[in-house]
Amino acid sequence: MSTVADKLAKKSTRKTGGKQVRLRLVYVDFWSAVKLSFLGAVALAVVTMVSFFLIFLVFQATNIMTTAESFLLGITDNAFVLSEVVGLPQVMAFAAVVAILNLIVFTVLGAVVAGIYNLAVKVTGGLLVGFMSN
């Protein structure tokens, strides 16, 4: 007995002939690479800020800061107070400086990589990519 479900199952198992296309990437637009690397760097900057904040909270919750402060007070004869130097505002300011430097470096690095790729294409011929449509 052949049911409608059996007929539909037979139809769905047939493979449809897809057209395969092979394309060569011979140019990366400079400004597109800069914009994309900038967006990636912004995401990394947000991750940097959040991770510094969370690490500071973990250090505060586990009393690592107070232990380190008592250790430094014993070594320096009460001349160096860690809590005055390492507070949440100072940590977040340092995280902001690191995030801004990473933002600049990664954006410039994306532009440099795009330029190097565009120069390397002249020698290698580019990257061959295959696509298939269903």
Side-chain angles (χ1 to χ4, degrees), residues 33-106:
V34 169
K35 287 187 280 187
L36 187 64
S37 63
F38 178 75
L39 287 177
V42 167
L44 183 66
V46 170
V47 168
T48 301
M49 295 291 289
V50 170
S51 64
F52 268 71
F53 179 70
L54 291 177
I55 289 171
F56 181 78
L57 287 182
V58 167
F59 280 0
Q60 288 289 79
T62 57
N63 292 328
I64 291 175
M65 299 296 283
T66 56
T67 305
E69 184 172 11
S70 64
F71 177 72
L72 286 174
L73 286 174
I75 290 176
T76 62
D77 292 332
N78 298 334
F80 182 73
V81 180
L82 186 64
S83 61
E84 293 176 0
V85 179
V86 182
L88 185 61
Q90 290 87 3
V91 169
M92 293 311 290
F94 180 72
V97 168
V98 169
I100 290 170
L101 289 176
N102 276 341
L103 186 82
I104 294 168
V105 167
F106 276 92

Side-chain angles (χ1 to χ4, degrees), residues 15-36:
K15 295 194 177 194
T16 59
K19 183 177 180 183
Q20 186 174 2
V21 179
R22 297 180 73 142
L23 300 173
R24 189 174 304 270
L25 181 62
V26 294
Y27 178 73
V28 174
D29 185 46
F30 178 77
W31 288 112
S32 294
V34 169
K35 287 187 280 187
L36 187 64

